[in-house]
Amino acid sequence: MNYYFNKTINGTFEEVIEKVTKGLNEEGFGILTEIDVTETLKKKLDIDFKKYRILGACNPPYAHKALQAEDKIGTMLPCNVIVQEIEAGIIEVAAVNPMASMQAVKNEKLNEVASEITAMLENVIEKL
């Protein structure tokens, strides 16, 4: 089982960020964190890096269910979605596969939540 699912699409980096954010919102996710890896690497290490952003997506009702089933699951939240520029006009979007990351946790209630979140994130990626 792959630990992520992805799709490469055409567009500008910022347009794709908007599409991904909209798609996540349609599935009930909000963006809790946004890490601009490009900016961070430049600022901290003076390294020029491709456009790369990590979006920390959270679906509050499902996060609550997951935390009720397994209180340490917060170590794996939020669900990360990356957007990176492969080359000008070609952008890859990848999302964590919650089912793959939950294999380490033996909890049936959590597997149900992970399965539903996986389907939702796959839907976001497919619709791009």
Side-chain angles (χ1 to χ4, degrees):
M1 176 181 301
N2 224 353
Y3 69 94
Y4 67 92
F5 22 90
N6 65 328
K7 185 172 190 177
T8 303
I9 61 174
N10 296 320
T12 70
F13 187 77
E14 292 303 325
E15 288 171 345
V16 174
I17 293 282
E18 287 178 27
K19 283 181 185 179
V20 170
T21 301
K22 183 180 179 204
L24 288 166
N25 284 331
E26 289 171 359
E27 289 289 340
F29 291 88
I31 305 297
L32 293 180
T33 60
E34 189 168 329
I35 301 168
D36 187 333
V37 174
T38 309
E39 181 181 300
T40 301
L41 292 177
K42 185 63 176 176
K43 185 175 174 181
K44 301 287 184 181
L45 303 174
D46 197 28
I47 292 173
D48 293 320
F49 193 71
K50 63 185 170 184
K51 293 178 182 176
Y52 192 111
R53 205 165 300 165
I54 303 169
L55 306 176
C58 178
N59 183 305
Y62 283 91
H64 182 240
K65 284 181 191 178
L67 288 164
Q68 285 181 310
E70 184 78 34
D71 69 348
K72 306 302 183 285
I73 205 63
T75 61
M76 296 182 178
L77 298 176
C79 296
N80 283 336
V81 177
I82 65 164
V83 179
Q84 66 175 320
E85 185 175 64
I86 304 302
E87 61 183 70
I90 300 175
I91 313 298
E92 179 188 26
V93 180
V96 66
N97 179 344
M99 287 302 293
S101 58
M102 294 303 142
Q103 286 180 338
V105 183
K106 305 297 182 219
N107 182 322
E108 267 190 51
K109 289 181 184 176
L110 194 57
N111 284 341
E112 293 172 22
V113 174
S115 177
E116 291 177 37
I117 291 294
T118 297
M120 295 162 87
L121 289 172
E122 282 181 315
N123 193 38
V124 170
I125 299 292
E126 286 174 17
K127 285 183 174 181
L128 292 173

